[in-house]
Amino acid sequence: MKTLTTLQMVIGLLATTALNATAAQACPDLSGTYFCNANTAHPDMYYTFAQTPRPDGTWQYKMGASLTNGKAFSGFTFTTDGNEQDVIDEVSGDLLKVTASCDSTALTVTGLTALDKPKPIKFSEILSLTPEGDLYDISININGDTVHETCYRQ
């Protein structure tokens, strides 16, 4: 009986580990720094991503943006659990409401910023990698326009 219980625990642990490994592998590896040319939404920028797997099978992403002169522009950390979370921009101190999730090919981030304004600004980003390893971003800017952008891995 003890052997059966031990075997059941081992099988359960292996199943849980496999499930978490599958979930943890479900997000694209965006780790690195990318150069993004100026567009209507921003000047020339560097975006840096770091990501860490979490015990629950989701990921924690840390994203930073800086101007080409090195001045920090924005930075925040969020998880890919699909739940809305309060995120503080480490540069401006602004509060954002962020929901993030991913699959094996793309990280999707949606949310609200300018929460202290009468009409907060909605934003949306779908981030993936090109076959060359560059960052491809489909976003909705503050005017509601869709922007397609390729940022080049440094």
Side-chain angles (χ1 to χ4, degrees):
M1 189 68 138
K2 184 176 180 182
T3 304
L4 183 57
T5 303
T6 303
L7 181 59
Q8 288 171 329
M9 287 179 12
V10 169
I11 290 171
L13 178 61
L14 290 174
T16 301
T17 302
L19 181 61
N20 284 342
T22 301
Q25 293 172 356
C27 293
D29 184 2
L30 303 178
S31 298
T33 299
Y34 306 87
F35 172 75
C36 302
N37 288 307
N39 62 31
T40 57
H42 63 74
D44 285 349
M45 304 279 286
Y46 287 107
Y47 289 100
T48 302
F49 290 86
Q51 64 193 84
T52 307
R54 295 169 33 113
D56 64 359
T58 62
W59 286 90
Q60 177 176 298
Y61 279 86
K62 181 173 178 67
M63 190 287 273
S66 62
L67 301 174
T68 54
N69 66 7
K71 182 178 179 186
F73 185 79
S74 180
F76 47 90
T77 302
F78 56 89
T79 60
T80 61
D81 60 9
N83 297 314
E84 183 177 77
Q85 54 205 279
D86 290 345
V87 174
I88 303 292
D89 185 311
E90 297 163 4
V91 176
S92 68
D94 292 341
L95 173 67
L96 297 89
K97 297 284 188 182
V98 172
T99 303
S101 62
C102 52
D103 61 27
S104 62
T105 61
L107 167 65
T108 302
V109 181
T110 59
L112 296 171
T113 187
L115 297 171
D116 58 337
K117 306 287 187 227
K119 286 190 171 187
I121 298 170
K122 294 180 183 180
F123 65 88
S124 173
E125 307 273 342
I126 301 172
L127 303 158
S128 61
L129 294 174
T130 67
E132 298 77 24
D134 297 319
L135 182 71
Y136 184 67
D137 180 17
I138 303 171
S139 61
I140 306 296
N141 70 16
I142 62 173
N143 299 319
D145 301 322
T146 301
V147 177
H148 296 260
E149 176 175 37
T150 300
C151 302
Y152 302 95
R153 187 178 290 275
Q154 300 299 289

